[in-house]
């Protein structure tokens, strides 16, 4: 009986992982297609929005690390903090570069 419960739990876990992987791949494909067709004028506001969303991801990762329910969750949370933080910093650098492209190169009038 115990082996049957373990095999059912294993199958449910596999189905759950497969479903989450499918959702992740679908979201990545749709996100790529949406971003690819964005005009350059909309790029800077879109980057600001993604920076805000990444800041939420950083907060979630910090909470995950702070709970320290297991060593695995702490390690994955730390990796998430590093990845999301680097994404936020990179987004601000790209946004700043895009904004500098739109500034006029003429000297300003006194």
């Amino acid at each position: 009986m115990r082996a049957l419960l373990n095999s059912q739990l294993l199958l449910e876990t596999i189905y759950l992982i497969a479903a989450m992987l499918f959702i992740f791949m679908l979201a990545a494909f749709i996100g790529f297609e949406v971003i690819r067709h964005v005009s350059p004028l909309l790029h800077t506001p879109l980057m600001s929005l993604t920076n805000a969303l990444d800041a939420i991801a950083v907060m979630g990762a910090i909470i995950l690390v702070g709970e320290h329910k297991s060593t695995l969750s702490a390690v994955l949370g730390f990796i998430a903090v590093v990845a999301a933080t680097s994404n936020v910093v990179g987004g601000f650098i790209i946004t700043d570069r895009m904004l500098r492209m739109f500034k006029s190169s003429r000297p300003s009038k006194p």
Side-chain angles (χ1 to χ4, degrees), residues 8-72:
Q8 286 177 341
L9 183 63
L10 180 65
L11 281 175
E12 287 177 9
T13 304
I14 290 172
Y15 288 140
L16 183 63
I17 290 172
M20 286 190 283
L21 197 59
F22 175 75
I23 291 169
F24 175 76
M25 291 186 318
L26 187 63
F29 175 74
I30 290 172
F32 177 75
E33 288 298 315
V34 167
I35 297 297
R36 191 173 69 157
H37 296 294
V38 170
S39 73
L41 290 176
L42 291 176
H43 188 269
T44 303
L46 202 59
M47 283 301 296
S48 298
L49 176 67
T50 57
N51 284 339
L53 293 175
D54 283 332
I56 295 170
V58 169
M59 292 305 299
I62 289 172
I63 291 170
L64 180 67
V65 170
E67 288 179 350
H68 197 69
K69 289 187 177 184
S70 68
T71 304
L72 178 64

Side-chain angles (χ1 to χ4, degrees), residues 71-93:
T71 304
L72 178 64
S73 70
V75 169
L76 290 177
F78 178 75
I79 292 170
V81 167
V82 170
T85 302
S86 67
N87 201 3
V88 168
V89 170
F92 278 119
I93 290 171

